[in-house]
Amino acid sequence: MGSFDLSEIFYNVDSGYLEGLIRGFKNGILRQEDYRHLTQCDTLEDLKLHLQGTDYGNFLANEPSPLTVSVIDDKLREKLVAEFEYIRNHSYKELGVFLDFIKYSYMIDNIILLITGTLHQRQLSELLTKCHPLGTFDQMETVTIATNTADLYNAILVDSPLAPFFKECISEEDLNEMNIEIIRNTLYKAYLEAFYDWCKEKGGATADVMCEILAFEADRRSIIITINSFGTELTKEDRAKLYPRRGKLYPDGLIELARADDYETVKRIAEYYADYRPLFDGTGNGPGDKTLEDKFFEHEVTFSTTLLSYIYWAMAFL
Amino acid sequence: MSAEAIFPPASSVASCLRPKTRVYSSLQEQSLIGIDLHETVKWLLNISNFTMGSLYRSEEMCLAQLYLQSEAAFACVSELGELGLVQFRDLNPNVNAFLRKFVHDVRRCDEMERKLRFLERELNKDNIPVDDDGDVPLAPLPREMIELEGKFEKLESDMKEVNGNQEALRKNFLELSELKQILKKTQGFFEEATMYQTEHTGFAPELEEDSSRAGDLSRGPFTKLGFVAGVILREKMLAFERVLWRACRGNVFLRHAEMEVPLVDPYTGDKVNKCVFIIFFQGDQLKNRVKKICEGFRATLYPCPESPQERREIAVGVTTRLEDLQTVLNQTEDHRRIVLSQVAHNIRVWFIKVRKIKAIYDTLNLFNVNIAEKCLIAECWCPVADLEKIQGALRHATETSGSSVPSILQVMKSDESPPTYNRTNAFTYGFETLIDAFGVANYREVNPTPFTIISFPFLFAVMFGDLGHGFLMLMFSLYMLYYQRYFLRNKTDNEIWEMMFGGRYLILLMGLFSMYTGFLYNECFSISVNVFGSAWNVSADPGWDTEYLKSQTSLMVDPGKPGVFRGSTLPYPNSTGNPYPYGIDPIWQLASNKITFLNSYKMKGAVILGFVQMMFGLILALNNHLYFKNYLSLFCEWIPQIIFLLCVIGYLVILIFYKWAVWSAADSSQAPSLLIGLINMFMFTAPSQTADTVVFSGQAGLQQGLQIFIVLLAVFCIPWMLFTKPVIIYYRNKQKQATAGYGEVHTSVNGISDRADILAHDELNINHESELDSSSESEKHEEEEFEMGQFMIIQVIHTIEYCLSCISHTASYLRLWALSLAHSELSQVLWTMVMSIGLKEPGALGVVMSFLLFWVFSSLTVGILLIMEGLSAFLHALRLHWVEFQSKFYKGEGYMFSPFSFHVIVEGKSEE
């Protein structure tokens, strides 16, 4: 705002329809009150009946009566995917790229799932049902033929949108558990860095909001990777390569993390950062305690909500 | 029991009503060009006596309590739903939807609806049309519901079984036809290979069948090639080829050909295009790899023998099997069709039945259940006039359900303001919608709709006055009316069309009135028509002979000269010596000062119309005050208001008429200027001959005295409006506090301000009030003081608003003039710049040009003048009604009566 920006003039031409749509979707999200009612439900039928009064009214209408959790889950996912694809198909220029970025993370998950599944001699058809439909792409189902990463890249992924992220993890080694974990994390790292840089380049509200979220995601991954690597055969050098270098921990925190040997050290490093210190307080592995991952998740949700309301606030003043 | 048995004709009040409505609808059908003459006549009868059932005030409503025996409750609600005259209140607002009593039954209905939707989808899949005989069945009884449930259950499982069989058969069919295609296509590949072989003998590899016998590859490692053949979706072919090439490092040879005929997908029934491919490769490892890739791309592989003979044999076998399968498939298809045609015949009726049952149970869920007395208690709003009908329906329902104890309807007293219910018909519906769009009238408040029916089209027409345009509009509305039965049956999704169609009677009147005002303005596509003969006679001037007239391009015709105006001695054009009898003299069409003349005329007309409408609004306000016995507002608000309006604008209007009457065409140059006169009046400047402000000639002193009196009277009205009402209320409150204590005062204040709880249950109100009662007295006193301050502020705002609005609303009515000017100017521009160019051109060119320009002219006339100008005039007329007219008397803070009616539910207008 302030400066004369021509791009705002065409805002409604490019995104007006989608913005209306999104606002509608946002209003359709269940409210606190709905959740309070849902807690009183005894059976899934009750749940269905209650949902009929909300925006989720019709997604279960055509299901025969004995409902199961998996049916609800499937239908909800179907609804999400349909809405997402609709928005993606109507999006324009940068918004399309942005939404594709969101899909990439699902693609990474799907590839890893398929490779792991094949390693464990699972049937392809069984694996496919577990793949997230947002992350499907043409060549996805053929990843099972690859036996090493070079193969995987050269034969299959070179055409897929994930190719640019894959460059760092090409090696002739055969695929095994350890390797797959490394591939997953390297892919994620490349993906996060690319997404972050793209958002930064776009500037504006995109950068303000998304960089925050992505930086947090990067830091969380770094910390979790470090903690999980204790007691495995992963070397410290290899581990350092897996850290996404875009978060608040970069560069000092990551150097420290690379040297860390135990949980206490990680905790000490995190204490230098105001955002992460509270997350380490009061965590534990006891039955009543929250794990660190829970805490991270909680933190993500609260600050994503804050950012979301920031977006709507900003839009109102545009 | 059939429907006839349940409702023996003419056995009860409710069923007596039904034949009557049928007679009425047949009357409708006979009426000329589809206009509901009957409806119109009925409405005219209603408006002539402002009694019950008219639109003047909303229907009198009462809150009633129903005690329904549990066994009769279903039948009662069903009858009431058919009647559509009661609005039930939710008596368990705090109970969750899934905890209510009849939730189980609602769920059963949901399930039935789901099954019906499934059957409907199957019907759509086969493009079988649903029979629609327009018959609306009554809601079935609960015991019939079980029967229906069983029927649907059976149909659904039948359908699923048929579908399953068909799917399996289709799958089989697909596989066989794919195999057939493979055999056909690979034939071509192999022939090419043999040709190649004969050309390069010794090098050609021996082809070997693969798929089923994998082991025999070892026989000749380098000379023998394996191959697989299969089918893949056409859109996947490209990616498949590429991945195959990369994964096998170019060591495979792929040939593919497209199938000419699309195949049918067994699961969805869609047509899919597929490709046949054959891949040659060497070695076991590659074979595994190729197979995995095929699997990844969901290609289906088929065994394909190597030798032509075997292939031919298989092909023959496949063909015969395909033929068999086709006959079986046809049979299942026929069976399915028979089942579905049965469904198609009944599904609409079933849907209606299920929806009705569901609506009944949903309504029953709103009731209180009294377990001890085995009855349901309901509360509902209903029109007082229809209480008998409702009771009749209840009696009838009790009889049919065989309950021994009658259902009781008991009218209750309630402090809540009842819903607003205006009975409309096809004619008045459009107008009522216009008013409701602004705000639903308060209960029993004067409803502007009956007046709007005339005033709206008239004000529209003042802005849209053109005989030709009005005629086109009239034709359009007649078209809609002539085909209205067709349009009513075939609803479209086009909202704009639906809106226009809903207002078809409005457009009819708008067209008629536009023709009338167009006639007054004497404009037909901007051209004047000389109907009665002009009252002006140019040849009356002795100096103007033919020679002189020819030599001049424009002439000044002076009405002051004898014989020029109203002095015609000739038998033609206007021998009466009177002015043009009706409307504007057509001679003005030729005048260069036409606009100046019309401006003055139309502006004055606009002020007069505005004043009349606002006065009328105030009279309606008087009606409201008298009806609600609000004498305080009558004396402290209404009287100063009307005096103020009369002083400020009424005086001006009198002057306008006076000026028109006193100054004739001959001495119009000495006429006073009203505008300056009005301004001077407020500035207390004495009227003077020099400023052209003396209206009553020779009595300037008297005029000044009168004007000063008028202004002072108007100014005196302002404090009258401002202070009297709040002061009186303040003292009344004080008195009441002194005598009656606090409780009563508080509730009365509550009654005014607390409108949010209308739908809430009584218990809530009771709680609410008892809470307030228990609060300390001093608090209440403070609250009272605060209310007084607020009241004062509101009064100040209202007073200022009213005083300013008298001026600004009058000015606002000038839009009547402005838009009418714009309309006539635009149509004139269109005529002179487009159509007349072609008409002026002589010879053959003129004919061609006229023909071509006519299309430009007519499309611009419709696009700009009719649609755009029409819309703008519509909006301005709407604004004049909503803001200028209704602000004088209309509150519009009520809420609509929305009765429980099957009619609405079956039409699907409101899905709960």
Side-chain angles (χ1 to χ4, degrees):
Chain A
M1 276 181 277
S3 66
F4 185 68
D5 188 1
L6 263 182
S7 66
E8 300 286 308
I9 291 179
F10 297 104
Y11 177 77
N12 273 332
V13 177
D14 295 343
S15 325
Y17 171 59
L18 289 180
E19 176 169 348
L21 210 61
I22 300 279
R23 277 173 190 265
F25 285 149
K26 185 178 177 263
N27 282 342
I29 295 174
L30 294 185
R31 285 160 219 289
Q32 199 68 42
E33 199 187 313
D34 294 315
Y35 282 109
R36 218 177 40 243
H37 284 303
L38 287 182
T39 52
Q40 298 175 14
C41 293
D42 292 330
T43 64
L44 290 177
E45 298 297 320
D46 289 349
L47 180 110
K48 179 176 166 182
L49 197 74
H50 178 76
L51 285 180
Q52 269 174 4
T54 68
D55 265 26
Y56 295 88
N58 292 324
F59 83 104
L60 286 175
N62 284 333
E63 287 310 309
S65 215
L67 272 179
T68 58
V69 177
S70 68
V71 168
I72 297 177
D73 189 42
D74 285 350
K75 287 282 153 188
L76 278 174
R77 184 176 301 147
E78 214 170 80
K79 185 171 147 73
L80 171 77
V81 171
E83 283 167 5
F84 188 92
E85 290 294 341
Y86 187 83
I87 294 169
R88 172 66 190 92
N89 291 340
H90 282 79
S91 61
Y92 185 61
K93 290 195 291 199
E94 276 134 20
L95 182 59
V97 180
F98 180 80
L99 293 176
D100 281 343
F101 263 115
I102 291 176
K103 280 168 101 175
Y104 294 158
S105 74
Y106 291 99
M107 288 187 190
I108 295 173
D109 286 345
N110 280 354
I111 292 178
I112 301 300
L113 180 90
L114 285 175
I115 299 175
T116 333
T118 344
L119 270 185
H120 290 272
Q121 314 291 329
R122 294 283 175 79
Q123 281 296 310
L124 183 64
S125 50
E126 181 196 341
L127 291 172
L128 283 178
T129 53
K130 287 182 184 148
C131 286
H132 200 287
L134 269 187
T136 46
F137 55 100
D138 272 351
Q139 302 89 340
M140 188 182 87
E141 294 166 28
T142 44
V143 297
T144 48
I145 60 164
T147 47
N148 59 39
T149 48
D151 245 13
L152 188 65
Y153 179 74
N154 288 328
I156 298 141
L157 294 180
V158 70
D159 272 344
S160 73
L162 293 182
F165 310 137
F166 215 81
K167 280 180 216 137
E168 283 185 48
C169 43
I170 302 168
S171 69
E172 288 297 328
E173 278 178 64
D174 276 359
L175 290 167
N176 58 31
E177 293 273 333
M178 185 73 176
N179 245 332
I180 293 171
E181 258 328 285
I182 289 175
I183 291 176
R184 181 216 289 275
N185 285 312
T186 327
L187 271 176
Y188 239 104
K189 173 197 168 191
Y191 158 72
L192 279 178
E193 288 176 0
F195 198 3
Y196 186 95
D197 293 343
W198 185 84
C199 291
K200 196 97 202 160
E201 190 196 315
K202 290 298 144 226
T206 316
D208 292 349
V209 175
M210 284 314 292
C211 288
E212 277 288 307
I213 292 176
L214 293 171
F216 171 75
E217 178 67 25
D219 289 340
R220 173 166 69 172
R221 293 198 76 85
S222 306
I223 293 171
I224 299 289
I225 288 170
T226 317
I227 293 171
N228 287 348
S229 74
F230 299 142
T232 61
E233 46 196 77
L234 193 71
T235 61
K236 282 184 182 172
E237 292 80 56
D238 282 346
R239 192 173 76 199
K241 278 186 205 154
L242 299 179
Y243 296 151
R245 288 174 309 234
R246 291 295 182 275
K248 287 176 186 154
L249 292 177
Y250 176 74
D252 303 341
L254 291 185
I255 297 170
E256 291 292 322
L257 273 183
R259 291 199 205 111
D261 277 320
D262 52 15
Y263 183 79
E264 285 308 312
T265 334
V266 177
K267 191 172 173 181
R268 215 190 54 241
I269 296 162
E271 268 168 13
Y272 290 117
Y273 298 89
D275 288 346
Y276 305 129
R277 185 174 22 201
L279 301 179
F280 278 83
D281 292 341
T283 55
N285 290 325
D289 294 341
K290 282 175 178 165
T291 62
L292 185 60
E293 307 222 2
D294 289 343
K295 281 263 192 179
F296 266 119
F297 187 62
E298 236 170 51
H299 181 68
E300 187 186 3
V301 169
T302 44
F303 104 120
S304 293
T305 326
T306 323
L307 284 172
L308 193 69
S309 44
Y310 161 73
I311 296 177
Y312 279 92
W313 177 82
M315 274 176 171
F317 285 90
L318 265 181
Chain B
M1 213 191 288
S2 68
E4 280 82 2
I6 301 171
F7 291 104
S11 74
S12 71
V13 182
S15 52
C16 274
L17 285 164
R18 244 164 254 129
K20 251 188 216 163
T21 49
R22 226 161 268 151
V23 170
Y24 156 65
S25 63
S26 66
L27 238 176
Q28 257 183 346
E29 270 151 41
Q30 283 160 12
S31 68
L32 196 71
I33 59 158
I35 302 179
D36 285 338
L37 275 179
H38 188 81
E39 295 265 318
T40 320
V41 168
K42 223 171 85 178
W43 171 74
L44 283 172
L45 285 175
N46 272 339
I47 196 126
S48 61
N49 54 340
F50 288 140
T51 51
M52 269 181 319
S54 81
L55 280 172
Y56 183 60
R57 286 190 198 285
S58 65
E59 200 80 17
E60 227 174 295
M61 307 296 279
C62 62
L63 187 66
Q65 209 164 22
L66 295 173
Y67 294 91
L68 306 172
Q69 295 307 306
S70 17
E71 62 265 31
F74 188 92
C76 286
V77 174
S78 162
E79 277 286 321
L80 292 177
E82 297 290 345
L83 211 56
L85 283 172
V86 290
Q87 174 181 351
F88 289 106
R89 306 202 314 166
D90 192 352
L91 297 184
N92 330 299
N94 296 325
V95 183
N96 266 330
F98 47 84
L99 295 176
R100 298 191 178 197
K101 188 165 185 244
F102 296 96
V103 137
H104 179 65
D105 303 277
V106 173
R107 231 175 253 161
R108 272 164 68 198
C109 294
D110 273 343
E111 187 66 15
M112 284 201 278
E113 249 191 311
R114 186 189 64 75
K115 280 171 188 153
L116 286 178
R117 273 201 302 270
F118 168 74
L119 292 173
E120 199 184 26
R121 268 204 306 279
E122 295 297 318
L123 283 179
N124 286 341
K125 229 191 253 173
D126 280 18
N127 288 326
I128 300 176
V130 175
D131 292 358
D132 184 0
D133 49 2
D135 186 29
V136 180
L138 295 168
L141 289 174
R143 54 176 171 278
E144 262 181 82
M145 186 173 151
I146 298 162
E147 203 178 298
L148 280 179
E149 260 180 329
K151 208 185 279 174
F152 298 158
E153 181 73 51
K154 190 175 171 299
L155 273 173
E156 196 203 13
S157 60
D158 273 6
M159 209 60 232
K160 278 194 171 152
E161 200 186 318
V162 173
N163 279 355
N165 287 342
Q166 204 182 18
E167 226 164 65
L169 285 171
R170 275 205 195 143
K171 198 165 169 240
N172 214 331
F173 188 76
L174 176 86
E175 280 168 5
L176 281 176
S177 41
E178 278 181 356
L179 181 57
K180 191 179 158 196
Q181 289 284 334
I182 285 180
L183 292 170
K184 206 168 109 193
K185 297 283 175 196
T186 46
Q187 187 69 21
F189 302 149
F190 285 119
E191 268 164 22
E192 268 177 56
T194 31
M195 268 167 65
Y196 190 78
Q197 203 172 15
T198 45
E199 276 171 38
H200 308 80
T201 29
F203 181 72
E206 197 180 312
L207 293 168
E208 188 215 348
E209 198 273 324
D210 153 72
S211 290
S212 49
R213 292 167 287 146
D216 41 15
L217 267 167
S218 53
R219 278 189 297 174
F222 289 105
T223 50
K224 284 183 185 165
L225 289 180
F227 73 93
V228 289
V231 174
I232 191 171
L233 283 177
R234 189 169 67 181
E235 59 266 29
K236 282 188 174 177
M237 194 63 216
L238 201 68
F240 178 60
E241 208 174 338
R242 203 178 291 156
V243 168
L244 206 61
W245 174 264
R246 286 214 197 92
C248 306
R249 304 207 167 78
N251 286 327
V252 292
F253 177 67
L254 172 96
R255 290 296 306 266
H256 66 91
E258 202 176 304
M259 286 188 200
E260 292 87 0
V261 227
L263 299 166
V264 179
D265 187 293
Y267 303 106
T268 58
D270 296 337
K271 301 224 155 168
V272 283
N273 285 301
K274 290 195 166 186
C275 271
V276 171
F277 65 87
I278 182 162
I279 306 167
F280 299 97
F281 48 79
Q282 203 172 30
D284 236 356
Q285 255 192 333
L286 264 183
K287 188 183 120 191
N288 281 338
R289 194 161 263 236
V290 166
K291 278 191 155 180
K292 264 191 178 167
I293 293 173
C294 290
E295 194 189 352
F297 276 91
R298 308 220 177 151
T300 10
L301 299 178
Y302 290 96
C304 178
E306 183 201 332
S307 74
Q309 200 143 18
E310 277 177 74
R311 280 206 299 271
R312 215 167 297 128
E313 274 166 26
I314 292 187
V316 171
V318 164
T319 321
T320 48
R321 272 172 68 198
L322 266 178
E323 273 162 14
D324 294 346
L325 209 56
Q326 187 66 51
T327 48
V328 179
L329 251 179
N330 286 345
Q331 276 167 3
T332 33
E333 195 80 2
D334 285 345
H335 178 62
R336 185 183 145 92
R337 216 158 254 283
I338 290 166
V339 175
L340 280 181
S341 65
Q342 224 182 340
V343 171
H345 185 64
N346 289 322
I347 192 161
R348 206 187 66 90
V349 170
W350 286 340
F351 257 125
I352 293 173
K353 279 186 177 171
V354 170
R355 276 188 195 145
K356 281 191 174 178
I357 303 176
K358 195 178 161 192
I360 291 171
Y361 280 122
D362 270 334
T363 310
L364 286 175
N365 269 336
L366 303 178
F367 297 175
N368 249 339
V369 184
N370 192 332
I371 299 164
E373 287 164 38
K374 281 196 175 176
C375 71
L376 293 167
I377 303 165
E379 275 178 27
C380 62
W381 287 110
C382 48
V384 174
D386 291 321
L387 273 177
E388 246 174 64
K389 271 192 204 174
I390 294 164
Q391 259 161 348
L394 289 179
R395 259 200 306 280
H396 184 243
T398 320
E399 274 169 34
T400 49
S401 63
S403 164
S404 50
V405 191
S407 304
I408 300 160
L409 181 137
Q410 186 187 4
V411 177
M412 292 176 15
K413 269 204 163 175
S414 168
D415 292 338
E416 277 176 42
S417 106
T420 306
Y421 178 39
N422 288 311
R423 277 177 222 261
T424 57
N425 52 28
F427 180 74
T428 51
Y429 172 75
F431 297 92
E432 185 63 52
T433 323
L434 275 189
I435 302 301
D436 286 342
F438 175 78
V440 178
N442 284 3
Y443 177 63
R444 299 293 284 161
E445 183 181 30
V446 169
N447 183 9
T449 308
F451 316 106
T452 306
I453 290 173
I454 295 304
S455 66
F456 186 89
F458 178 65
L459 287 192
F460 169 85
V462 167
M463 293 180 270
F464 197 75
D466 191 302
L467 196 61
H469 299 154
F471 180 71
L472 291 180
M473 192 172 260
L474 180 72
M475 285 296 114
F476 176 60
S477 70
L478 288 181
Y479 160 77
M480 284 195 290
L481 290 171
Y482 189 76
Y483 291 106
Q484 70 170 340
R485 244 180 293 284
Y486 170 79
F487 289 132
L488 280 175
R489 245 183 291 123
N490 308 322
K491 295 251 181 212
T492 57
D493 288 338
N494 189 339
E495 275 179 41
I496 294 177
W497 166 256
E498 283 294 312
M499 218 153 68
M500 285 217 282
F501 185 66
R504 56 198 181 278
Y505 289 102
L506 182 67
I507 296 176
L508 173 83
L509 287 189
M510 287 186 337
L512 279 172
F513 276 89
S514 297
M515 284 177 69
Y516 168 68
T517 47
F519 183 70
L520 273 185
Y521 295 160
N522 209 338
E523 275 179 15
C524 177
F525 297 111
S526 84
I527 306 296
S528 290
V529 185
N530 195 354
V531 187
F532 306 108
S534 172
W536 293 69
N537 185 4
V538 178
S539 55
D541 195 315
W544 294 1
D545 50 14
T546 323
E547 283 303 304
Y548 179 75
L549 289 177
K550 273 187 181 168
S551 66
Q552 301 291 316
T553 49
S554 73
L555 281 166
M556 178 86 144
V557 186
D558 182 8
K561 280 185 185 163
V564 170
F565 181 59
R566 299 173 63 173
S568 166
T569 49
L570 298 170
Y572 181 81
N574 188 345
S575 58
T576 57
N578 285 330
Y580 197 70
Y582 210 73
I584 304 283
D585 195 311
I587 202 170
W588 286 103
Q589 174 76 10
L590 304 170
S592 60
N593 61 342
K594 177 192 176 194
I595 294 179
T596 335
F597 167 70
L598 283 181
N599 276 356
S600 138
Y601 169 72
K602 285 182 179 172
M603 265 196 253
K604 285 178 184 131
V607 170
I608 293 168
L609 286 178
F611 173 71
V612 169
Q613 200 179 25
M614 288 193 291
M615 276 303 284
F616 186 59
L618 280 177
I619 289 168
L620 293 181
L622 171 69
N623 260 332
N624 266 343
H625 292 321
L626 289 176
Y627 183 83
F628 293 115
K629 306 212 165 38
N630 192 351
Y631 296 113
L632 184 65
S633 290
L634 175 62
F635 290 112
C636 302
E637 271 175 359
W638 189 79
I639 289 180
Q641 274 179 354
I642 198 155
I643 292 175
F644 190 83
L645 184 67
L646 278 171
C647 288
V648 178
I649 308 300
Y651 178 63
L652 177 65
V653 171
I654 290 168
L655 287 189
I656 289 174
F657 279 111
Y658 184 77
K659 186 177 165 183
W660 275 342
V662 170
W663 277 272
S664 71
D667 54 2
S668 62
S669 54
Q670 285 114 46
S673 160
L674 294 184
L675 186 65
I676 295 172
L678 189 74
I679 294 167
N680 280 354
M681 173 173 119
F682 286 108
M683 295 172 64
F684 299 109
T685 316
S688 69
Q689 213 59 256
T690 47
D692 261 351
T693 50
V694 181
V695 183
F696 309 109
S697 44
Q699 286 167 317
L702 181 72
Q703 189 187 344
Q704 191 186 10
L706 177 70
Q707 288 183 349
I708 289 173
F709 171 70
I710 285 172
V711 173
L712 287 181
L713 187 61
V715 170
F716 170 69
C717 287
I718 296 173
W720 187 354
M721 272 185 261
L722 186 59
F723 294 115
T724 46
K725 191 177 173 187
V727 167
I728 290 175
I729 285 186
Y730 178 72
Y731 278 107
R732 272 192 196 170
N733 276 344
K734 237 184 171 180
Q735 241 173 352
K736 267 188 191 168
Q737 276 171 20
T739 53
Y742 297 105
E744 201 189 321
V745 174
H746 192 85
T747 45
S748 74
V749 170
N750 238 19
I752 297 165
S753 60
D754 195 356
R755 306 183 48 86
D757 288 346
I758 282 164
L759 284 171
H761 183 40
D762 273 343
E763 278 174 31
L764 283 179
N765 286 349
I766 293 160
N767 289 343
H768 183 61
E769 263 163 35
S770 61
E771 247 170 55
L772 286 173
D773 283 337
S774 60
S775 59
S776 72
E777 291 189 355
S778 62
E779 249 181 61
K780 264 186 196 169
H781 192 71
E782 274 171 26
E783 209 177 294
E784 201 56 40
E785 291 291 309
F786 175 66
E787 290 268 345
M788 178 64 203
Q790 218 174 17
F791 194 77
M792 193 63 216
I793 288 170
I794 290 170
Q795 193 70 15
V796 168
I797 292 171
H798 275 308
T799 308
I800 294 175
E801 199 193 343
Y802 181 80
C803 295
L804 290 180
S805 76
C806 274
I807 314 293
S808 69
H809 285 181
T810 311
S812 186
Y813 275 99
L814 286 176
R815 72 185 68 231
L816 290 175
W817 152 67
L819 268 106
S820 138
L821 174 74
H823 184 81
S824 73
E825 281 304 291
L826 259 178
S827 60
Q828 194 167 11
V829 163
L830 212 56
W831 177 262
T832 52
M833 309 274 263
V834 183
M835 199 59 218
S836 67
I837 294 176
L839 292 175
K840 276 177 190 159
E841 196 69 33
L845 183 66
V847 175
V848 176
M849 270 179 74
S850 302
F851 177 75
L852 293 178
L853 282 174
F854 172 74
W855 298 109
V856 181
F857 172 73
S858 56
S859 56
L860 284 178
T861 298
V862 171
I864 296 181
L865 288 174
L866 280 178
I867 297 178
M868 278 170 55
E869 273 281 298
L871 271 179
S872 108
F874 182 91
L875 285 180
H876 283 286
L878 195 62
R879 184 222 140 93
L880 286 179
H881 278 83
W882 279 0
V883 180
E884 274 77 23
F885 176 48
Q886 293 181 10
S887 65
K888 300 289 177 293
F889 65 97
Y890 190 61
K891 288 211 175 57
E893 289 163 345
Y895 64 106
M896 195 93 81
F897 176 61
S898 51
F900 168 66
S901 161
F902 285 146
H903 179 66
V904 180
I905 291 160
V906 170
E907 293 240 315
K909 273 183 201 158
S910 68
E911 287 284 314
E912 316 116 65

